[in-house]
Amino acid sequence: MAEYTKAQLTDMIIGKLQRNFGRTVEEATKDHMFKACALVLRDIMSRRQMETDNRVWEGQQRQVHYLSLEFLMGRSLEKNAYNLGLLDTLKDALEGLGFSASDLFEKEPDAGLGNGGLGRLAACYLDSMTTLEIPATGYSICYELGIFKQKIIDGKQVELADNWLGLGDAWLIPKLDEAEEVRFGGKIVDHWDENGHNHPEHVGYTTVLAIPRDMEIAGYKTRHTNILRLWDAKSPVPVDMSLYSRGEYLKAVEQQAMAEVIAKVLYPDDNHYEGKSLRLKQQYFFVSATVQSIVRKHRSQYGTLRNFHEKHVIQINDTHPTLVIPELMRILLDVEGYSWDEAWHIVTRSVCYTNHTILAEALERWPQTLIETLLPRIWQILKEISGRYQQQLQYRYGGDMNKVGQMAIIWGGEVRMANLCVCACQAINGVSALHSDILKRDVFHDAYLAHPDKFQNVTNGIDHRRWLSQINPKLDALIRECTGGDQYLLHPEAIQGLEKYKDDKSVLLQLAKIKDENKRRFASYIARESGVILNTDAIFDVQVKRLHEYKRQLLNVLHIIHLYNQLRDNPNMDFTPQTFLFGAKAAPGYHVAKEIIQLINSLSTQINNDPVCKDKLQVVFLENYRVSLAEKLMPASELSEQISTAGKEASGTGNMKFMMNGALTIGTLDGANVEMHQQVGDENIFLFGLTADQVAERKRQGYRSLDYYQQNQALKRVIDQISAGFSDHVSYSDLTNRLLFGAGGSMADEYMLLADFDSYCAAHQRALETYADQQRWNQMSLINIARSGIFAADRSIAEYAKNIWHVPTR
């Protein structure tokens, strides 16, 4: 039974409208009603959060601090109501007040405080940590502008500002009394006492205030509540009124503008010095504020920091928060007065690191001069850490400077953040079995040999309550019916009970009907939003993720053009109708990715306007792909494209969302696809392409993409067409030249699209042949759903809790 009745919730909403907005129900707009509902739920969560705080304080429990520069939270009203057990009650209350619940849910902007998988994973993990009753806090920046809104104009991506805070700030509770001071620039003056101890003084610095704006996180079927603390940046210096009165208006507010730019936008473009400087400022700003906040609360409870590592674990989500290591050292050394060895003992037993990539460009390296200028005391501490570590490395490797150079923290005028994590963190984990293996075998091989006990694997997981139960209610109802209730929501392995029905024709028909309804619902939404009419009789073949060359949206395009050529050559051929759906944002400075988006849109125009393709072949680029769009798309998808070059994708989580919603995977043995294959077997997935080992071997042998082009006439024809362009007369020879000859010193076809082309086409053919046997397809779909429980975030978080954080769970 819900904690609040419809009547109680109705009274609470009406009260909020009156007290906060001075409105009656009749006068209230959708915006007022949305905010009133959000504030009501926020109040419920706040009371629970204070109870949780008291319980953690009194029990002196160990706390988890999850640091991530991205949290892609999406929308919160429906999710929070669901977790609080109030979703149906809220819907009834709103309908009773004359408002449509679904309209209000749609009204909410996505909290797009992330680029993709990394931020969405962090959001899923917060939900699971709370549901499993782990005392945990997430930390990030309260970006005023989240990931950009994507508009497609003349086929090209155009970035628009995404100001989510207009309605989104209803969830945020400012805690002005918990502000922290963060210092930039200036210099360090050394003061040596009579005992030979240095007391460094930071002078001439600029201060930025970090103001916490807390978002409450509700767990599912628990009163336990955690917080996502988002730091906002403000100047402590008031507006200079003397400048203002002299008419120098811009100069008067300059200090404020310089401080507030830190929290203005998610990830500035760092292709230039100013962008690099701002990004480094963002990283230090959020870790410094975070550590100061944790330390302040710890000291008020225990009176000392000597037990800090016993009561706290700090999880670094990718390299962006790595400066937490020298910042905690700074506080222990300069504020607490601990010796180097005492401080290092505490830090190295507090901090853990999750690596999310093997791509060299994503393993952050900062120019030494930038850190020296911006963070002079942090630079001194980094030099000391690096020097001591280098001595150990030289001793370990007998002066082999090649090995030392690979593992050094400061080298060649750069500070390497991943190497700092490897040096200082008590645990290092990859995010899929294959990825963790590559870290041990390749990226951090020497470090692994020296400290094998440090390295672990925790395969990623998703919030299955959101990504199955909440977004696909009819599938959720079928699972409950077949497995005897909602046990799977807290014990995801219970979804296996569905597999008993793999030969039950009536269940398979129900599954097919649910998929068909979801396809039609999604098509109606797309028609309303964009005017595009999707062919719901076609198989929905979907590739949605960040646009990056290694994710190989371009391989998908090569195959579609090949299909198009077959249709053009033989319009009366037997052809399974196919609708290809793409959704992707390209980083604003990533020219090649933007060109691939334009190519997809050129191809879409060509195919969708060709009478030969009518009701047979369709290509649609879904503008502004985001969490709320994914929630509508996943239940409607039938074939999931997970086609990255083997060995490049750390894990992927979109693959898990598709699987849970009954889509079948066409993919390489990359990231978590490997473990999905282990779960479902060869017969329930469509695998193709080179393995990670084969990719490495081909590169060692000297891969020549030109040979594939010259020897495969179908492939040559496709590449020549891309080079020449389509009906809009835009040439994409830059892309084809990259495939055939390389560019900017990189190898030709670096991600081996041409090597995998034939195998990819054959896998598609197998998928279509299977689709023709609807009973077999639905059976495979059911098996995928039934075996997807292992990819729930609850399992991932339980593994972190047991093996890395050493905290109990519910």
Side-chain angles (χ1 to χ4, degrees), residues 31-50:
D31 284 8
H32 292 132
M33 186 56 79
F34 167 79
K35 284 199 165 186
C37 291
L39 292 172
V40 166
L41 297 190
R42 198 182 84 177
D43 286 352
I44 294 169
M45 292 187 289
S46 290
R47 284 193 290 275
R48 292 183 176 190
Q49 198 272 318
M50 286 186 280

Side-chain angles (χ1 to χ4, degrees), residues 706-744:
L706 202 56
D707 291 348
Y708 290 91
Y709 170 78
Q710 288 168 340
Q711 293 162 18
N712 184 330
Q713 284 308 303
L715 179 58
K716 181 179 187 300
R717 180 181 177 188
V718 167
I719 288 173
D720 290 347
Q721 283 167 285
I722 293 173
S723 186
F726 299 100
S727 52
D728 58 3
H729 307 300
V730 177
S731 164
Y732 295 96
S733 55
D734 282 358
L735 293 177
T736 54
N737 284 340
R738 289 178 81 84
L739 291 176
L740 300 177
F741 310 110

Side-chain angles (χ1 to χ4, degrees), residues 507-570:
V507 169
L508 294 178
L509 281 172
Q510 279 187 71
L511 191 62
K513 186 167 180 276
I514 291 165
K515 181 63 73 177
D516 188 58
E517 286 177 15
N518 289 337
K519 286 173 72 176
R520 293 181 190 284
R521 188 177 302 110
F522 181 71
S524 297
Y525 170 78
I526 293 300
R528 283 196 308 276
E529 292 294 306
S530 66
V532 172
I533 306 301
L534 298 180
N535 178 11
T536 53
D537 293 328
I539 184 171
F540 277 13
D541 184 315
V542 184
Q543 188 174 18
V544 285
K545 51 188 75 231
R546 212 160 36 88
L547 201 310
H548 194 292
E549 286 170 278
Y550 86 80
K551 294 178 186 284
R552 301 205 295 189
Q553 284 91 347
L554 188 52
L555 176 59
N556 195 343
V557 168
L558 295 179
H559 170 247
I560 295 168
I561 297 170
H562 176 56
L563 287 179
Y564 179 51
N565 288 339
Q566 289 177 314
L567 257 183
R568 294 282 300 172
D569 294 345
N570 185 5

Side-chain angles (χ1 to χ4, degrees), residues 282-312:
Q282 285 185 334
Q283 294 188 3
Y284 182 67
F285 167 79
F286 117 85
V287 301
S288 177
T290 295
V291 177
Q292 290 183 66
S293 170
I294 298 167
V295 163
R296 191 183 306 282
K297 288 177 182 175
H298 179 90
R299 199 190 294 106
S300 73
Q301 182 169 12
Y302 297 104
T304 176
L305 294 190
R306 296 201 184 277
N307 65 340
F308 183 87
H309 54 292
E310 295 165 13
K311 299 299 179 184
H312 303 278

Side-chain angles (χ1 to χ4, degrees), residues 251-302:
K251 202 162 179 55
V253 296
E254 185 178 29
Q255 276 284 85
Q256 286 184 316
M258 292 303 286
E260 290 173 11
V261 74
I262 290 173
K264 184 64 73 176
V265 66
L266 171 79
Y267 283 2
D269 187 351
D270 64 354
N271 291 338
H272 42 73
Y273 184 84
E274 288 77 9
K276 276 190 172 58
S277 174
L278 179 53
R279 192 150 168 181
L280 184 63
K281 271 187 179 175
Q282 285 185 334
Q283 294 188 3
Y284 182 67
F285 167 79
F286 117 85
V287 301
S288 177
T290 295
V291 177
Q292 290 183 66
S293 170
I294 298 167
V295 163
R296 191 183 306 282
K297 288 177 182 175
H298 179 90
R299 199 190 294 106
S300 73
Q301 182 169 12
Y302 297 104

Side-chain angles (χ1 to χ4, degrees), residues 362-500:
L363 293 169
E364 291 181 303
R365 299 172 177 219
W366 290 104
Q368 171 182 322
T369 51
L370 185 60
I371 295 183
E372 280 181 273
T373 308
L374 209 57
L375 310 170
R377 180 58 181 146
I378 293 300
W379 168 245
Q380 290 183 338
I381 292 167
L382 284 171
K383 268 199 306 184
E384 185 69 20
I385 295 172
S386 179
R388 288 170 179 244
Y389 188 49
Q390 208 160 305
Q391 275 186 326
Q392 291 173 24
L393 293 174
Q394 285 173 332
Y395 177 76
R396 188 187 301 161
Y397 299 118
D400 180 344
M401 296 313 284
N402 269 338
K403 286 200 181 242
V404 171
Q406 284 170 2
M407 295 177 68
I409 295 167
I410 299 173
W411 195 264
E414 290 182 321
V415 182
R416 299 160 168 182
M417 305 312 254
N419 284 2
L420 175 56
C421 288
V422 168
C423 164
C425 292
Q426 62 174 330
I428 299 151
N429 73 279
V431 291
S432 74
L434 175 66
H435 171 236
S436 296
D437 193 43
I438 290 171
L439 293 183
K440 291 187 282 193
R441 207 177 59 221
D442 183 9
V443 183
F444 302 133
H445 179 62
D446 291 331
Y448 168 67
L449 292 179
H451 297 285
D453 52 313
K454 269 193 182 190
F455 286 80
Q456 300 197 36
N457 174 63
V458 183
T459 297
N460 282 343
I462 60 172
D463 169 10
H464 69 297
R465 288 172 289 275
R466 181 174 200 146
W467 289 104
L468 196 168
S469 175
Q470 187 189 323
I471 69 170
N472 202 341
K474 291 199 171 170
L475 179 58
D476 171 61
L478 180 64
I479 292 167
R480 292 179 193 225
E481 186 186 323
C482 292
T483 61
D486 64 356
Q487 187 189 7
Y488 89 98
L489 293 175
L490 284 174
H491 303 280
E493 66 280 2
I495 202 172
Q496 286 173 345
L498 184 63
E499 192 163 347
K500 294 197 302 275

Side-chain angles (χ1 to χ4, degrees), residues 71 137-142 175 178 180 212-215 227-231 286 290 293 297:
F71 277 91
T137 309
Y139 300 87
S140 195
I141 293 175
C142 190
K175 301 266 180 77
E178 294 185 38
E180 303 292 351
R213 303 184 75 184
D214 289 353
M215 184 183 280
I227 278 176
L228 170 59
R229 173 155 285 192
L230 299 170
W231 294 103
F286 117 85
T290 295
S293 170
K297 288 177 182 175

